[in-house]
Coordinates of all heavy atoms in Angstrom, one line a residue:
G278 N 26.1 -1.4 31.5 CA 26.3 -0.6 32.7 C 25.1 -0.7 33.6 O 24.0 -0.7 33.2
W279 N 25.3 -0.6 34.9 CA 24.3 -0.9 35.9 C 23.2 0.2 35.9 O 22.0 -0.1 35.9 CB 24.9 -1.0 37.3 CG 23.9 -1.2 38.4 CD1 23.8 -0.6 39.6 CD2 22.9 -2.3 38.5 NE1 22.8 -1.1 40.4 CE2 22.2 -2.1 39.7 CE3 22.5 -3.3 37.6 CZ2 21.1 -3.0 40.1 CZ3 21.4 -4.1 38.0 CH2 20.8 -4.0 39.2
E280 N 23.5 1.4 35.7 CA 22.5 2.5 35.7 C 21.6 2.4 34.5 O 20.4 2.7 34.6 CB 23.2 3.9 35.7 CG 23.9 4.2 37.0 CD 23.0 4.1 38.3 OE1 21.9 4.6 38.2 OE2 23.4 3.5 39.3
R281 N 22.1 2.0 33.4 CA 21.3 1.9 32.2 C 20.4 0.7 32.3 O 19.2 0.8 32.0 CB 22.2 1.7 30.9 CG 21.4 1.7 29.6 CD 22.3 1.5 28.4 NE 21.5 1.5 27.2 CZ 21.9 1.0 26.0 NH1 23.2 0.6 25.9 NH2 21.2 1.0 25.0
V282 N 20.8 -0.4 32.9 CA 20.0 -1.6 33.2 C 18.8 -1.2 34.1 O 17.7 -1.6 33.8 CB 20.8 -2.7 33.8 CG1 19.9 -3.8 34.3 CG2 21.8 -3.3 32.8
K283 N 19.1 -0.5 35.1 CA 18.0 -0.1 36.1 C 17.0 0.8 35.4 O 15.8 0.8 35.8 CB 18.6 0.7 37.3 CG 19.4 -0.3 38.2 CD 19.7 0.4 39.6 CE 20.5 1.6 39.5 NZ 20.8 2.2 40.8
N284 N 17.4 1.6 34.4 CA 16.5 2.5 33.7 C 15.6 1.7 32.8 O 14.4 2.1 32.6 CB 17.3 3.6 32.9 CG 16.3 4.5 32.2 OD1 15.5 5.2 32.8 ND2 16.5 4.5 30.9
I285 N 16.1 0.6 32.2 CA 15.3 -0.1 31.2 C 14.3 -1.1 31.9 O 13.2 -1.2 31.5 CB 16.3 -0.9 30.3 CG1 17.1 0.1 29.4 CG2 15.5 -1.9 29.4 CD1 18.2 -0.5 28.6
L286 N 14.8 -1.9 32.9 CA 14.0 -2.9 33.5 C 13.0 -2.4 34.5 O 13.3 -1.5 35.2 CB 14.9 -4.0 34.1 CG 15.7 -4.9 33.1 CD1 16.6 -5.8 33.9 CD2 14.8 -5.7 32.3
P287 N 11.8 -3.0 34.6 CA 10.9 -2.6 35.7 C 11.4 -3.1 37.0 O 12.1 -4.1 37.1 CB 9.6 -3.3 35.3 CG 10.0 -4.5 34.4 CD 11.2 -4.0 33.7
T288 N 11.0 -2.3 38.1 CA 11.3 -2.7 39.4 C 10.0 -3.0 40.1 O 8.9 -3.0 39.5 CB 12.1 -1.7 40.2 OG1 12.5 -2.2 41.5 CG2 11.3 -0.4 40.3
G289 N 10.0 -3.3 41.4 CA 8.8 -3.6 42.1 C 7.7 -2.5 42.0 O 8.0 -1.3 42.1
G290 N 6.5 -2.9 41.7 CA 5.4 -2.0 41.6 C 5.3 -1.3 40.3 O 4.4 -0.4 40.1
T291 N 6.1 -1.6 39.3 CA 6.0 -1.0 38.0 C 6.0 -2.0 36.9 O 6.4 -3.2 37.1 CB 7.3 -0.1 37.8 OG1 8.5 -0.9 37.7 CG2 7.5 0.9 38.9
G292 N 5.5 -1.6 35.7 CA 5.5 -2.5 34.6 C 4.8 -3.8 34.9 O 3.7 -3.9 35.6
T293 N 5.3 -4.9 34.4 CA 4.7 -6.2 34.6 C 5.0 -6.7 36.1 O 4.5 -7.8 36.5 CB 5.3 -7.3 33.7 OG1 6.7 -7.3 33.7 CG2 4.8 -7.0 32.2
L294 N 5.7 -6.0 36.9 CA 5.9 -6.2 38.3 C 5.0 -5.3 39.2 O 5.2 -5.2 40.4 CB 7.4 -6.1 38.7 CG 8.4 -7.0 38.1 CD1 9.8 -6.6 38.6 CD2 8.1 -8.4 38.3
S295 N 4.0 -4.7 38.6 CA 3.2 -3.7 39.3 C 2.5 -4.3 40.5 O 2.2 -3.5 41.4 CB 2.2 -3.1 38.3 OG 1.3 -4.1 37.8
S296 N 2.2 -5.6 40.5 CA 1.5 -6.2 41.6 C 2.4 -6.9 42.6 O 1.9 -7.6 43.5 CB 0.4 -7.1 41.1 OG -0.6 -6.5 40.3
Y297 N 3.7 -6.8 42.4 CA 4.6 -7.6 43.1 C 5.8 -6.7 43.6 O 6.1 -5.7 43.1 CB 5.2 -8.8 42.3 CG 4.1 -9.7 41.8 CD1 3.5 -9.4 40.5 CD2 3.6 -10.7 42.5 CE1 2.5 -10.2 40.0 CE2 2.6 -11.5 42.0 CZ 2.0 -11.3 40.8 OH 1.0 -12.1 40.3
Y298 N 6.5 -7.2 44.7 CA 7.7 -6.6 45.2 C 7.5 -5.1 45.5 O 8.4 -4.3 45.4 CB 8.9 -6.8 44.2 CG 9.0 -8.2 43.7 CD1 8.5 -8.6 42.6 CD2 9.8 -9.1 44.5 CE1 8.6 -10.0 42.2 CE2 9.9 -10.4 44.1 CZ 9.3 -10.8 43.0 OH 9.5 -12.1 42.6
K299 N 6.3 -4.8 46.0 CA 6.0 -3.4 46.3 C 6.6 -2.9 47.7 O 6.9 -1.7 47.8 CB 4.5 -3.2 46.4 CG 3.7 -3.3 45.1 CD 2.3 -3.1 45.3 CE 1.5 -3.2 44.0 NZ 0.0 -2.9 44.2
K300 N 6.8 -3.8 48.6 CA 7.2 -3.5 50.0 C 8.5 -2.7 50.0 O 8.7 -1.8 50.8 CB 7.2 -4.7 50.8 CG 7.5 -4.4 52.3 CD 7.5 -5.7 53.1 CE 7.9 -5.4 54.6 NZ 7.9 -6.7 55.4
D301 N 9.4 -3.2 49.2 CA 10.8 -2.6 49.2 C 11.2 -2.4 47.7 O 12.2 -2.9 47.3 CB 11.7 -3.6 49.9 CG 13.0 -2.9 50.3 OD1 13.1 -1.6 50.1 OD2 13.9 -3.5 50.8
S302 N 10.4 -1.6 47.0 CA 10.7 -1.4 45.6 C 12.0 -0.8 45.4 O 12.5 0.1 46.1 CB 9.6 -0.5 45.0 OG 9.8 -0.3 43.6
G303 N 12.7 -1.2 44.3 CA 14.1 -0.6 44.0 C 15.2 -1.6 44.3 O 16.3 -1.3 44.1
Y304 N 14.8 -2.8 44.8 CA 15.8 -3.8 45.1 C 15.8 -4.9 44.1 O 16.7 -5.8 44.1 CB 15.7 -4.4 46.5 CG 14.5 -5.3 46.7 CD1 14.6 -6.7 46.3 CD2 13.4 -4.9 47.3 CE1 13.5 -7.5 46.5 CE2 12.3 -5.7 47.5 CZ 12.4 -7.1 47.1 OH 11.3 -7.9 47.3
I305 N 14.8 -4.9 43.2 CA 14.8 -5.9 42.1 C 14.5 -5.2 40.8 O 13.8 -4.3 40.7 CB 13.7 -6.9 42.4 CG1 13.7 -8.1 41.4 CG2 12.3 -6.3 42.4 CD1 12.8 -9.3 41.8
Y306 N 15.2 -5.7 39.7 CA 15.0 -5.2 38.4 C 15.0 -6.5 37.5 O 16.0 -7.2 37.4 CB 16.2 -4.3 37.9 CG 16.3 -3.1 38.8 CD1 17.0 -3.0 40.0 CD2 15.6 -1.9 38.4 CE1 17.0 -1.9 40.7 CE2 15.6 -0.8 39.2 CZ 16.3 -0.8 40.3 OH 16.3 0.4 41.1
A307 N 13.8 -6.8 36.9 CA 13.6 -8.1 36.3 C 12.6 -8.0 35.2 O 11.8 -7.1 35.1 CB 13.2 -9.1 37.4
K308 N 12.7 -9.1 34.4 CA 11.8 -9.3 33.2 C 10.9 -10.5 33.4 O 11.5 -11.6 33.7 CB 12.6 -9.4 31.9 CG 11.7 -9.7 30.7 CD 10.9 -8.5 30.3 CE 10.0 -8.8 29.1 NZ 8.9 -9.7 29.5
T309 N 9.6 -10.4 33.3 CA 8.7 -11.5 33.4 C 8.7 -12.2 32.0 O 9.0 -11.7 31.0 CB 7.3 -11.1 33.8 OG1 6.9 -10.1 32.8 CG2 7.3 -10.5 35.1
G310 N 8.2 -13.5 32.1 CA 7.9 -14.2 30.8 C 6.7 -15.1 31.1 O 6.7 -15.9 32.1
T311 N 5.6 -15.1 30.3 CA 4.4 -15.8 30.7 C 3.8 -16.5 29.4 O 3.6 -15.8 28.4 CB 3.4 -14.9 31.3 OG1 4.0 -14.2 32.4 CG2 2.2 -15.7 31.8
L312 N 3.5 -17.8 29.5 CA 2.7 -18.5 28.6 C 1.7 -19.3 29.5 O 2.0 -19.4 30.7 CB 3.4 -19.5 27.7 CG 4.4 -18.9 26.6 CD1 5.2 -20.0 26.0 CD2 3.5 -18.2 25.6
S313 N 0.7 -19.8 29.0 CA -0.2 -20.6 29.8 C 0.6 -21.8 30.4 O 1.3 -22.5 29.7 CB -1.4 -21.2 29.0 OG -1.0 -21.9 27.8
N314 N 0.5 -22.0 31.7 CA 1.1 -23.1 32.5 C 2.7 -22.9 32.5 O 3.4 -23.8 32.9 CB 0.8 -24.4 31.9 CG -0.6 -24.6 31.6 OD1 -1.1 -24.6 30.4 ND2 -1.4 -24.8 32.6
N315 N 3.1 -21.7 32.2 CA 4.6 -21.4 32.3 C 4.7 -19.9 32.7 O 4.1 -19.0 32.1 CB 5.3 -21.6 30.9 CG 5.3 -23.0 30.5 OD1 6.2 -23.7 30.7 ND2 4.2 -23.4 29.8
C316 N 5.6 -19.7 33.7 CA 5.9 -18.3 34.0 C 7.4 -18.2 34.4 O 7.9 -19.2 35.0 CB 5.0 -17.6 35.0 SG 5.1 -18.2 36.7
A317 N 8.0 -17.1 34.1 CA 9.4 -17.0 34.4 C 9.7 -15.6 34.9 O 9.0 -14.6 34.7 CB 10.3 -17.2 33.1
L318 N 10.8 -15.5 35.7 CA 11.3 -14.1 36.1 C 12.8 -14.2 36.2 O 13.4 -15.1 36.8 CB 10.7 -13.8 37.5 CG 11.1 -12.4 38.0 CD1 10.3 -11.3 37.1 CD2 10.7 -12.2 39.4
S319 N 13.4 -13.3 35.4 CA 14.9 -13.3 35.4 C 15.4 -11.9 35.5 O 14.8 -10.9 34.9 CB 15.4 -13.9 34.0 OG 14.9 -15.2 33.9
G320 N 16.4 -11.6 36.3 CA 16.9 -10.3 36.5 C 18.0 -10.1 37.5 O 18.8 -11.1 37.7
Y321 N 17.9 -9.0 38.3 CA 18.9 -8.7 39.3 C 18.3 -8.4 40.6 O 17.2 -7.7 40.7 CB 19.7 -7.4 38.8 CG 20.2 -7.5 37.4 CD1 19.4 -7.1 36.3 CD2 21.4 -8.0 37.1 CE1 19.8 -7.2 35.0 CE2 21.9 -8.0 35.8 CZ 21.1 -7.7 34.7 OH 21.5 -7.7 33.4
L322 N 18.9 -8.9 41.7 CA 18.4 -8.7 43.0 C 19.4 -8.1 43.9 O 20.6 -8.6 44.0 CB 18.0 -10.0 43.6 CG 17.3 -10.1 45.0 CD1 15.9 -9.5 44.9 CD2 17.3 -11.5 45.5
I323 N 19.1 -7.0 44.5 CA 20.1 -6.3 45.5 C 19.7 -6.8 46.9 O 18.6 -6.6 47.4 CB 19.9 -4.8 45.4 CG1 20.2 -4.3 44.0 CG2 20.9 -4.1 46.3 CD1 19.9 -2.8 43.8
T324 N 20.7 -7.4 47.5 CA 20.4 -8.0 48.9 C 20.5 -6.9 49.9 O 21.0 -5.8 49.7 CB 21.4 -9.1 49.2 OG1 22.7 -8.6 49.4 CG2 21.4 -10.1 48.1
K325 N 20.1 -7.3 51.2 CA 20.3 -6.3 52.3 C 21.7 -5.9 52.6 O 22.0 -4.9 53.1 CB 19.6 -6.9 53.6 CG 18.1 -6.9 53.6 CD 17.6 -5.5 53.8 CE 16.1 -5.5 53.8 NZ 15.5 -6.1 55.1
K326 N 22.6 -6.8 52.2 CA 24.1 -6.5 52.3 C 24.6 -5.7 51.2 O 25.8 -5.5 51.1 CB 24.8 -7.8 52.6 CG 24.5 -8.5 53.9 CD 25.3 -9.8 54.0 CE 24.9 -10.5 55.3 NZ 25.6 -11.8 55.4
G327 N 23.8 -5.4 50.2 CA 24.3 -4.6 49.1 C 24.8 -5.4 47.9 O 25.4 -4.8 47.0
K328 N 24.7 -6.7 47.9 CA 25.2 -7.5 46.8 C 24.2 -7.5 45.7 O 23.0 -7.5 45.9 CB 25.4 -8.9 47.3 CG 26.5 -9.1 48.4 CD 26.6 -10.6 48.8 CE 27.7 -10.8 49.8 NZ 27.8 -12.2 50.3
I329 N 24.7 -7.5 44.5 CA 23.8 -7.6 43.3 C 23.9 -9.1 42.8 O 25.0 -9.5 42.4 CB 24.3 -6.7 42.1 CG1 24.2 -5.2 42.6 CG2 23.4 -6.9 40.9 CD1 24.7 -4.2 41.6
L330 N 22.8 -9.8 42.9 CA 22.7 -11.2 42.5 C 22.0 -11.2 41.2 O 20.9 -10.6 41.0 CB 22.0 -12.0 43.6 CG 22.6 -12.0 45.0 CD1 21.8 -12.9 45.9 CD2 24.1 -12.5 45.0
I331 N 22.4 -12.1 40.3 CA 21.7 -12.3 39.0 C 21.0 -13.6 39.1 O 21.6 -14.6 39.5 CB 22.7 -12.3 37.8 CG1 23.5 -11.0 37.8 CG2 22.0 -12.5 36.5 CD1 24.6 -10.9 36.7
F332 N 19.7 -13.6 38.8 CA 18.9 -14.8 39.0 C 18.0 -15.1 37.8 O 17.7 -14.2 37.0 CB 18.0 -14.7 40.2 CG 16.9 -13.7 40.1 CD1 15.7 -14.0 39.6 CD2 17.1 -12.3 40.4 CE1 14.7 -13.1 39.4 CE2 16.1 -11.4 40.2 CZ 14.9 -11.8 39.7
S333 N 17.6 -16.4 37.7 CA 16.6 -16.8 36.7 C 15.8 -17.9 37.3 O 16.3 -18.9 37.6 CB 17.2 -17.2 35.4 OG 16.3 -17.6 34.4
V334 N 14.5 -17.7 37.4 CA 13.5 -18.7 37.9 C 12.5 -19.0 36.8 O 11.8 -18.2 36.4 CB 12.8 -18.1 39.2 CG1 11.9 -19.2 39.8 CG2 13.8 -17.6 40.2
L335 N 12.5 -20.3 36.4 CA 11.6 -20.8 35.4 C 10.7 -21.8 36.0 O 11.1 -22.8 36.6 CB 12.4 -21.4 34.2 CG 13.5 -20.6 33.6 CD1 14.1 -21.3 32.3 CD2 13.1 -19.2 33.2
N336 N 9.4 -21.6 35.8 CA 8.4 -22.5 36.3 C 7.5 -23.0 35.2 O 7.1 -22.2 34.3 CB 7.5 -21.8 37.3 CG 8.2 -21.1 38.4 OD1 8.6 -21.7 39.4 ND2 8.4 -19.8 38.2
N337 N 7.3 -24.3 35.1 CA 6.5 -24.8 34.0 C 5.6 -26.0 34.4 O 5.8 -26.6 35.5 CB 7.4 -25.2 32.8 CG 8.4 -26.2 33.2 OD1 8.2 -27.1 34.0 ND2 9.6 -26.1 32.6
N338 N 4.6 -26.3 33.6 CA 3.7 -27.4 33.7 C 2.9 -27.4 34.9 O 2.4 -28.5 35.3 CB 4.5 -28.7 33.6 CG 5.2 -28.9 32.2 OD1 4.8 -28.2 31.3 ND2 6.2 -29.8 32.2
Y339 N 2.6 -26.3 35.5 CA 1.7 -26.2 36.7 C 0.3 -26.0 36.1 O 0.1 -25.5 35.0 CB 2.1 -25.0 37.6 CG 2.2 -23.7 36.9 CD1 1.0 -22.9 36.7 CD2 3.4 -23.2 36.5 CE1 1.1 -21.7 36.1 CE2 3.5 -22.0 35.9 CZ 2.4 -21.2 35.7 OH 2.4 -20.0 35.1
I340 N -0.7 -26.4 36.9 CA -2.1 -26.2 36.5 C -2.9 -25.3 37.4 O -4.1 -25.2 37.3 CB -2.8 -27.6 36.3 CG1 -2.8 -28.4 37.6 CG2 -2.2 -28.4 35.2 CD1 -3.6 -29.7 37.6
T341 N -2.2 -24.7 38.3 CA -2.8 -23.7 39.3 C -2.8 -22.3 38.6 O -2.4 -22.2 37.4 CB -2.0 -23.6 40.6 OG1 -0.7 -23.1 40.2 CG2 -1.8 -25.0 41.2
S342 N -3.3 -21.4 39.3 CA -3.2 -20.0 38.8 C -1.8 -19.5 38.8 O -1.0 -19.8 39.7 CB -4.1 -19.1 39.8 OG -3.7 -17.7 39.6
A343 N -1.5 -18.7 37.7 CA -0.1 -18.2 37.6 C 0.2 -17.3 38.8 O 1.4 -17.1 39.2 CB 0.1 -17.5 36.3
V344 N -0.8 -16.6 39.3 CA -0.6 -15.7 40.4 C 0.0 -16.4 41.6 O 0.9 -15.9 42.3 CB -2.0 -15.0 40.8 CG1 -1.8 -14.2 42.1 CG2 -2.5 -14.1 39.7

Side-chain angles (χ1 to χ4, degrees):
W279 180 230
E280 291 305 314
R281 187 180 178 195
V282 167
K283 289 196 296 181
N284 179 60
I285 293 172
L286 289 174
T288 186
T291 67
T293 53
L294 298 180
S295 59
S296 300
Y297 303 91
Y298 308 96
K299 292 181 177 180
K300 184 179 178 182
D301 197 4
S302 180
Y304 72 84
I305 187 170
Y306 297 88
K308 176 70 184 72
T309 57
T311 309
L312 291 171
S313 55
N314 314 107
N315 294 264
C316 72
L318 186 68
S319 302
Y321 310 88
L322 182 70
I323 304 173
T324 70
K325 284 290 181 71
K326 295 179 181 178
K328 296 179 181 178
I329 300 176
L330 304 181
I331 303 175
F332 69 89
S333 180
V334 183
L335 309 186
N336 308 277
N337 55 37
N338 296 342
Y339 56 82
I340 57 174
T341 64
S342 164
V344 173

